[in-house]
Amino acid sequence: MKRKFNRRSVLRGVLGGLTVGVALPALDCFLDGNGVAYADGARRPARFGTYFWGLGLTPGRWAPKTIGANYDLPPEIASLGELKKKVSVLSGFRVNPDGRSNIVHWTGHCGILTGQAPSTVGAFDLPSFDVAVADALGKSTRFKAIQLTPFGNERLSYSTATGRSFNTPDTSPLALYKRLFGEGFQDPNSSSWKPDPAVIVDRSVLSAISDERRALLASVGASDRIQLDQYFTSVRSLEQRLAVQLQRPAPAEACVVPQAPEERPRSAGIDVVNENNKLMAELMAMALACNQTSVFNVVHSGSTSEAYLPGDTATYHLHTHDEGVDPKLGYQPISSQLATLCFQGYADFIRALDAVREGDGTLLDNTLVMGFSESGYAKVHSIDNIPMFFAGGAGGKHKMGQHVAANGDPVTRVTLTAQQLAGLPVGEFGTGSMQTSKSLSELFA
């Protein structure tokens, strides 16, 4: 009987008396005509990421003059280069505080992530939307989501399920490598897979904890039940991760297990931050390719960025307020230089994803990376015209390479569109005047 091959087939043989197996790549015969779905109807894994950098960009130096396709590249986003065909630029969107004060360097990204202006600094009033994306996309991966920052500060995270506690990021390339490819990692292309006995033991222990948790929840009041539910969220995530580890991973044709990076210096120097960012981008690209996670959140630099140029004694944040506008140039030259370098981090990150071949495209073609900041003009703490970007094809859903120019529309239109491109069945997003059901239809392929 003639053997029928499919995307899960493994070629088997005998070498030196030992049985060996070789996973197959995503051959054309396994794919549909677009290269984004397998012929049996199963789509490639969807991936989604957020990428934040602080202090925005300089008005007049980042938003293209051209609307629609084939837009121009102003100076501060010139690092996109040839990748602009895979990046949509979203200008003219704003956060509406709805009577609340503009909490400087906080209201902007909070409004983008939650759909509501915050009531206090340091906290959100609602969960960040990426958590819902992770819940939807992370059911079959080892990690629901990965948070990281090349800035080296473990408090730099804006991903939250509660609005009060934020998910802790990995802060160096080596720390990220250990999480993704250290203990517990299973090579999806290995022919010698078997369940880790330690995982089996941990799984049985957690099952016992789950039984007691249900009994405890049944015996307490509503207030305690809410607190306990939040407390056990991490336990449920660990249960899911262990359950995934007890299943043989499907072959991943683009997965190449990387070597461990050397320990790198941690510094707010923008050159060090961007070098760490490149290394972490390469690791995250392989984590996605190896199906360790489908969702990630990057904070390149905080909303009051302490990044600095080599040899400079003032931070980026100080420059945005203290540096005067050059009368000939019409902008703050040092602040603009730092803005350009911070945005380059976004370009470097998506370039690392685009370097990984997957099927007849790249990893970036099967990912959506939403880039944004918290301010339209940091010198005056503006929350108008906040820079926002979509990079990647979202598995064929995103009509890439567009410039969409709004006229004071709420940022929630962008966030709603991001969720829909990521595959969530969401019809509206936001509260108050930022509540919207109007996504950016021109960005759907």
Side-chain angles (χ1 to χ4, degrees):
M1 182 176 178
K2 187 177 180 180
R3 183 181 176 189
K4 184 177 181 180
F5 293 99
N6 58 42
R7 65 190 177 95
R8 298 189 186 279
S9 296
V10 176
L11 303 182
R12 302 191 183 281
V14 178
L15 179 64
L18 298 175
T19 301
V20 296
V22 177
L24 294 175
L27 302 176
D28 289 344
C29 61
F30 301 159
L31 298 168
D32 66 3
N34 298 318
V36 298
Y38 291 102
D40 60 6
R43 294 191 66 84
R44 288 185 173 278
R47 287 82 160 219
F48 177 80
T50 63
Y51 192 101
F52 175 90
W53 72 94
L55 302 176
L57 295 172
T58 306
R61 291 180 60 77
W62 72 270
K65 295 180 175 61
T66 307
I67 307 299
N70 301 314
Y71 58 80
D72 53 297
L73 281 178
E76 290 188 8
I77 67 168
S79 55
L80 289 177
E82 77 289 350
L83 273 182
K84 78 170 191 175
K85 64 181 181 295
K86 294 189 177 183
V87 179
S88 290
V89 183
L90 314 170
S91 65
F93 294 89
R94 73 181 305 270
V95 172
N96 301 323
D98 281 333
R100 291 180 170 179
S101 299
N102 174 14
I103 302 174
V104 298
H105 303 300
W106 192 254
T107 291
H109 59 291
C110 177
I112 292 169
L113 288 167
T114 71
Q116 182 182 74
S119 58
T120 184
V121 68
F124 296 169
D125 292 349
L126 295 169
S128 55
F129 81 92
D130 61 279
V131 173
V133 177
D135 286 341
L137 302 186
K139 291 183 174 63
S140 61
T141 56
R142 183 174 162 218
F143 300 101
K144 268 192 175 183
I146 292 292
Q147 287 75 40
L148 63 100
T149 174
F151 212 79
N153 183 346
E154 64 182 12
R155 294 187 176 184
L156 280 184
S157 173
Y158 303 124
S159 173
T160 174
T162 65
R164 293 297 184 267
S165 61
F166 293 84
N167 295 315
T168 302
D170 289 302
T171 57
S172 73
L174 183 57
L176 181 62
Y177 174 87
K178 288 180 178 178
R179 179 182 296 273
L180 295 171
F181 301 105
E183 183 178 358
F185 171 74
Q186 301 178 70
D187 185 346
N189 297 326
S190 173
S191 61
S192 59
W193 178 89
K194 60 182 179 180
D196 185 344
V199 172
I200 296 173
V201 171
D202 287 344
R203 175 65 176 170
S204 64
V205 171
L206 285 174
S207 296
I209 292 174
S210 296
D211 295 339
E212 292 187 354
R213 183 183 73 227
R214 285 192 291 269
L216 178 58
L217 287 170
S219 67
V220 299
S223 178
D224 285 340
R225 194 175 299 119
I226 292 172
Q227 293 187 55
L228 284 169
D229 184 64
Q230 293 175 353
Y231 175 77
F232 285 124
T233 295
S234 60
V235 177
R236 289 197 296 270
S237 297
L238 183 55
E239 287 178 330
Q240 178 186 1
R241 191 161 77 234
L242 293 176
V244 169
Q245 288 179 257
L246 291 174
Q247 301 173 17
R248 186 183 187 113
E253 79 276 6
C255 176
V256 179
V257 182
Q259 296 292 317
E262 296 182 357
E263 185 65 75
R264 289 271 308 160
R266 301 190 189 191
S267 167
I270 191 63
D271 53 337
V272 175
V273 173
N274 276 359
E275 184 60 31
N276 286 338
N277 179 75
K278 284 183 179 180
L279 293 172
M280 296 173 92
E282 292 171 359
L283 290 171
M284 182 51 60
M286 274 301 115
L288 296 171
C290 296
N291 297 328
Q292 297 304 293
T293 189
S294 296
V295 179
F296 60 90
N297 308 109
V298 185
V299 177
H300 172 272
S301 47
S303 57
T304 54
S305 177
E306 297 175 350
Y308 58 85
L309 293 168
D312 198 350
T313 58
T315 66
Y316 184 12
H317 185 209
L318 287 176
H319 278 302
T320 62
H321 293 308
D322 296 344
E323 182 185 16
V325 174
D326 186 287
K328 293 183 178 179
L329 297 175
Y331 59 87
Q332 301 166 287
I334 298 177
S335 297
S336 178
Q337 183 181 359
L338 281 159
T340 302
L341 290 170
C342 286
F343 182 81
Q344 182 182 315
Y346 177 64
D348 289 342
F349 203 95
I350 61 175
R351 188 165 279 112
L353 271 59
D354 199 51
V356 178
R357 298 298 303 177
E358 195 170 59
D360 60 356
T362 72
L363 181 63
L364 184 61
D365 294 331
N366 296 311
T367 306
L368 183 74
V369 187
M370 178 179 170
F372 60 98
S373 193
E374 96 296 347
S375 178
Y377 187 22
K379 187 174 182 62
V380 297
H381 301 133
S382 167
I383 49 176
D384 298 301
N385 196 27
I386 296 177
M388 305 179 77
F389 300 82
F390 284 165
K397 296 178 183 177
H398 174 208
K399 187 177 181 181
M400 302 180 287
Q402 307 293 311
H403 173 210
V404 177
N407 186 24
D409 292 12
V411 292
T412 44
R413 290 193 64 198
V414 177
T415 314
L416 174 63
T417 304
Q419 293 175 79
Q420 292 176 346
L421 288 173
L424 270 64
V426 180
E428 64 180 23
F429 183 72
T431 66
S433 65
M434 289 208 294
Q435 184 175 8
T436 184
S437 59
K438 188 178 180 182
S439 55
L440 303 176
S441 58
E442 56 266 63
L443 294 183
F444 288 87

